[in-house]
Amino acid sequence: MQPTIATQQPPLIGSTSGGMIQVLGFTLLVGFWVLLGLEEVASHGDHSFAKIGIHQVTFALSDAAYVNASPAILGSKGQNSEWVTVYISNLNPSIDDWIGVFSPANFSDSTCLPENSRVSPPYLCSAPIKYQYANYTNPNYKVTGEASLNLQLINQRSDFSFALFTGGLATPNLVAVSNTVAFANPNAPSYPRLAQGKPWNEMTVTWTSGYGIDEAEPFVEWGQRGGVQKHSFAGTLTFDRHSMCGAPARTVGWRDPGYIHTSFLKELWPNQVYTYKLGHKWLNGTIIWSQMYQFKSSPYPGQDSLQRVIIFGDMGKDEADGSNEYNNFQRGSLNTTKQLIEDLENIDIVFHIGDICYANGYLSQWDQFTSQIEPIASTVPYMIASGNHERDWPNSGSFYENNDSGGECGVVAQTMFYVPTDNRDKFWYSTDYGMFRFCIADTEHDWREGTEQYNFIERCLASVDRQKQPWLIFIAHRVLGYSSSLFYAVEGSFGEPMGRDSLQKLWQKYKVDIAVYGHAHNYERTCPVYENTCMNDEKSYYKGSLNGTIHMVAGGGGASLTPFAPFKTAWSIFRDYDYGFLKVTAFNHSTLLVEYKKSRDGEVYDSFMISRDYRDILACTIDSCSSTTLAS
């Protein structure tokens, strides 16, 4: 599925009229809870909304209840994130009262359109973004009926309202709706995401706005820090409800994504600091600017410099204000994000290897995620891989015929983020960063021998010049190598079935140093292994040839943790049931340090070093190594 080229601003579903929300037919809110229940991700347990009594929702606006949100105008100084105080007054309070956050502010079902001519309209046009209990910060709310909540909002190109429900989750009743709250410029450019381009000396900038191309011309003003600045125009993409493959992405989870712009900054000088800012030029010549950002350009392939790489998977998002959202199982994500931001001066590139934000068809969560990672993604390349929660959907071309994407079927991820692929729906690609060659696979498409992806993987591994780029790393979301996670152990495969069958001969032939995976939400490191056998007895300091590939699971980015099998496999050296990420540091062409850091404190809990010469890789003697690849 491919996104469509933007031509005009699509109408927002459920806009307000005169600041008053339309509540006609709100008793049909029951359908929202039904759909949420159907979309449950079984592997992560019940999410909070699944506990709501789906047949007990009633509409009961009452003069005895009142909700007010302040301030009403946000972002007056250009901010894309602000805190709002929600005041609650209820003459009949209970400990189970809760506030739902809605955007657009009009969440009435009366403006819904049917998915097709044979299907009734969805019961609710837009699902709430999140919710919080009224007594979250005031334990005396049950007695006083008075409370206030501090909630964080981000600019999502529309207004907000706050709805008070009584009766708890089992028998919810809508009793009050607040005034509307809006950002001063809801269309402002926001949440820039850097990514490597196809050439090593190209950086791409992707961002979101509410400006269609018939309204304003998107571009980036950029140049070396302190030098002459230039303009690079941006392409624009968007998609509509019918680009989605099914519910909830097409129904209650749908939300207008705005416009996604990408600009290509070309012919960069290696390892130099560049500044940039996003611009939209209106037809009358007025320019809307973002703040100024900066990044350091990539080293050229083979350049001998300090190069530091972060790798993790399965992070997701969480709410800084403590409120509840759909999945409520990504509680480690804020710690991971915090650690990366705090160490950002010592990071050069990030790989988030699948299961990006776990929106699962609730599209508002993508804005929430890009806001959360903005300090990172606006400063260093933020490269992603495709995971099951981005891509998988029946009859959509996915290798796995399950419902994990919630109807997104890859469309949202491949539009929100740029990756240097020839076809964005085929999410495999290679990228060079100095002394590193990264080969990124797409486990949600067939990788087996004879397929298009298998041929790509072999070309990627075979074409690298190991004299220039000695560090060869294979990346994929699902574990195509080795994992002793319980669900893989139960299957008896200790990895994806058929994962190693086709690929292990490539890893061995082209002497892949490290293979990194997500999907299993934990950390694990193997010995240098081939065909289930440790090829090297060392555990922490490898000298010379590894004789096999070290396989690592780094899926503890933030989503609920995955238990291990109760026994230890022969090839597993270190495993940890906790949140964390990898930091891989190339000091030069012969020294590589790999560290596992925990998200809770940023400290190193496992590490190893590789020290070798390129002759150890190419198996040649002094002065006999020609500039060649292993393919030849």
Side-chain angles (χ1 to χ4, degrees), residues 4 25 44 71 146 150 169 198 236 306 340 385 425 438-439 549 611:
T4 56
H44 301 299
E146 304 288 333
N150 292 319
L169 301 180
K198 290 182 179 179
T236 298
L306 183 64
L340 298 185
D425 194 46
F438 297 96
C439 299
T549 297
S611 178

Side-chain angles (χ1 to χ4, degrees), residues 25 37 122 135 185 194 205 223 226 228 298 335 346 369 406 425 431 544 551 617:
N135 66 352
N185 182 5
L194 299 174
V205 186
V228 176
S298 302
N335 280 343
N346 300 306
F369 177 79
D425 194 46
T431 192
H551 293 259
I617 307 172

Side-chain angles (χ1 to χ4, degrees), residues 536 538 541-547 609-613 616:
N536 191 316
E538 179 57 47
Y541 187 35
Y542 299 95
K543 296 182 179 179
S545 178
L546 296 175
N547 299 320
M609 183 171 285
I610 302 174
S611 178
R612 63 155 187 248
D613 190 87
D616 297 318

Side-chain angles (χ1 to χ4, degrees), residues 346-585:
N346 300 306
I347 296 171
D348 296 310
I349 187 171
V350 170
F351 288 86
H352 186 161
I353 57 175
D355 285 6
I356 308 301
C357 74
Y358 293 93
N360 296 351
Y362 294 93
L363 273 61
S364 67
Q365 305 303 290
W366 283 95
D367 286 320
Q368 301 281 322
F369 177 79
T370 53
S371 173
Q372 178 176 306
I373 66 165
E374 179 184 16
I376 307 165
S378 64
T379 306
V380 299
Y382 199 95
M383 313 301 293
I384 68 168
S386 179
N388 51 302
H389 285 283
E390 286 77 57
R391 184 63 182 82
D392 292 1
W393 193 256
N395 303 312
S396 69
S398 173
F399 189 49
Y400 295 88
E401 294 283 312
N402 60 52
N403 300 321
D404 288 354
S405 76
E408 294 178 16
C409 54
V411 173
V412 188
Q414 67 200 32
T415 308
M416 293 291 289
F417 286 84
Y418 175 84
V419 293
T421 60
D422 292 327
N423 180 340
R424 288 198 185 193
D425 194 46
K426 299 174 180 178
F427 228 72
W428 54 79
Y429 63 96
S430 67
T431 192
D432 294 318
Y433 193 90
M435 294 174 284
F436 289 97
R437 160 67 62 85
F438 297 96
C439 299
I440 295 88
D442 178 359
T443 56
E444 311 317 299
H445 284 86
D446 198 346
W447 65 83
R448 293 172 296 182
E449 189 168 3
T451 62
E452 181 183 359
Q453 181 170 196
Y454 179 91
N455 294 335
F456 155 78
I457 293 171
E458 180 159 27
R459 287 195 305 271
C460 183
L461 301 177
S463 60
V464 59
D465 184 342
R466 300 301 288 274
Q467 287 193 41
K468 293 181 178 179
Q469 294 174 284
W471 310 116
L472 181 56
I473 297 181
F474 177 82
I475 287 174
H477 175 64
R478 294 175 185 261
V479 180
L480 300 182
Y482 296 83
S483 167
S484 55
S485 295
L486 182 60
F487 68 90
Y488 279 134
V490 169
E491 291 178 348
S493 56
F494 296 99
E496 288 298 318
M498 305 176 290
R500 297 188 298 271
D501 296 348
S502 294
L503 296 176
Q504 62 182 342
K505 61 185 178 183
L506 297 183
W507 299 325
Q508 192 73 0
K509 176 180 179 180
Y510 298 112
K511 300 186 178 180
V512 173
D513 296 302
I514 302 169
V516 188
Y517 316 99
H519 197 56
H521 303 167
N522 52 41
Y523 169 74
E524 186 167 19
R525 169 167 68 99
T526 75
C527 60
V529 61
Y530 177 58
E531 291 186 339
N532 297 295
T533 302
C534 287
M535 308 299 290
N536 191 316
D537 293 331
E538 179 57 47
K539 291 181 172 57
S540 60
Y541 187 35
Y542 299 95
K543 296 182 179 179
S545 178
L546 296 175
N547 299 320
T549 297
I550 296 172
H551 293 259
M552 307 186 75
V553 174
S560 58
L561 295 170
T562 302
F564 290 100
F567 50 85
K568 192 176 186 301
T569 54
W571 35 259
S572 182
I573 290 180
F574 190 99
R575 61 190 198 181
D576 187 43
Y577 180 79
D578 205 350
Y579 299 109
F581 54 92
L582 294 183
K583 185 172 185 179
V584 183
T585 303

Side-chain angles (χ1 to χ4, degrees), residues 205-421:
V205 186
T206 299
W207 72 96
T208 306
S209 86
Y211 294 118
I213 57 176
D214 58 342
E215 186 176 7
E217 187 177 67
F219 66 94
V220 176
E221 182 176 278
W222 64 283
Q224 286 197 36
R225 185 168 58 186
V228 176
Q229 303 294 291
K230 63 185 76 174
H231 283 194
S232 291
F233 295 104
T236 298
L237 296 173
T238 190
F239 51 88
D240 61 25
R241 186 191 301 268
H242 300 291
S243 302
M244 304 292 97
C245 290
R250 274 187 172 179
T251 55
V252 296
W254 168 254
R255 194 179 192 280
D256 173 21
Y259 294 94
I260 316 301
H261 315 280
T262 299
S263 185
F264 297 83
L265 316 185
K266 300 176 180 293
E267 298 182 355
L268 304 177
W269 198 253
N271 269 349
Q272 297 297 307
V273 175
Y274 287 81
T275 60
Y276 72 98
K277 59 181 179 178
L278 317 173
H280 289 266
K281 185 177 181 181
W282 288 0
L283 298 180
N284 65 7
T286 302
I287 297 178
I288 304 298
W289 292 105
S290 73
Q291 70 179 71
M292 184 75 74
Y293 302 90
Q294 72 176 38
F295 65 87
K296 187 177 74 172
S297 57
S298 302
Y300 62 81
Q303 183 170 349
D304 197 344
S305 62
L306 183 64
Q307 295 157 17
R308 300 151 301 184
V309 182
I310 298 293
I311 309 174
F312 61 87
D314 309 78
M315 183 169 77
K317 56 161 289 292
D318 200 8
E319 296 295 336
D321 57 22
S323 54
N324 303 281
E325 44 93 26
Y326 301 111
N327 292 311
N328 270 1
F329 58 71
Q330 303 145 46
R331 294 307 195 192
S333 65
L334 291 181
N335 280 343
T336 300
T337 304
K338 176 177 178 286
Q339 294 300 336
L340 298 185
I341 292 172
E342 290 182 352
D343 196 38
L344 201 50
E345 291 185 356
N346 300 306
I347 296 171
D348 296 310
I349 187 171
V350 170
F351 288 86
H352 186 161
I353 57 175
D355 285 6
I356 308 301
C357 74
Y358 293 93
N360 296 351
Y362 294 93
L363 273 61
S364 67
Q365 305 303 290
W366 283 95
D367 286 320
Q368 301 281 322
F369 177 79
T370 53
S371 173
Q372 178 176 306
I373 66 165
E374 179 184 16
I376 307 165
S378 64
T379 306
V380 299
Y382 199 95
M383 313 301 293
I384 68 168
S386 179
N388 51 302
H389 285 283
E390 286 77 57
R391 184 63 182 82
D392 292 1
W393 193 256
N395 303 312
S396 69
S398 173
F399 189 49
Y400 295 88
E401 294 283 312
N402 60 52
N403 300 321
D404 288 354
S405 76
E408 294 178 16
C409 54
V411 173
V412 188
Q414 67 200 32
T415 308
M416 293 291 289
F417 286 84
Y418 175 84
V419 293
T421 60

Side-chain angles (χ1 to χ4, degrees), residues 82-196:
E82 281 220 57
W83 288 77
V84 172
T85 300
V86 179
Y87 299 94
I88 306 166
S89 178
N90 187 4
L91 295 179
N92 302 297
S94 77
I95 60 173
D96 295 326
D97 293 358
W98 54 277
I99 287 283
V101 182
F102 289 84
S103 179
N106 179 3
F107 52 93
S108 166
D109 69 295
S110 62
T111 56
C112 287
L113 298 175
E115 185 174 350
N116 59 60
S117 60
R118 296 186 178 182
V119 177
S120 299
Y123 292 123
L124 189 66
C125 283
S126 60
I129 291 173
K130 55 188 179 181
Y131 82 90
Q132 184 55 277
Y133 285 101
N135 66 352
Y136 180 68
T137 56
N138 185 0
N140 293 321
Y141 168 77
K142 182 182 178 181
V143 176
T144 66
E146 304 288 333
S148 65
L149 297 174
N150 292 319
L151 299 175
Q152 187 180 49
L153 300 182
I154 66 165
N155 192 347
Q156 293 188 261
R157 303 168 306 283
S158 189
D159 52 7
F160 296 82
S161 64
F162 304 85
L164 175 63
F165 294 85
T166 66
L169 301 180
T171 56
N173 307 295
L174 175 68
V175 296
V177 179
S178 76
N179 56 298
T180 61
V181 171
F183 278 81
N185 182 5
N187 295 323
S190 56
Y191 320 130
R193 287 91 71 185
L194 299 174
Q196 299 250 93

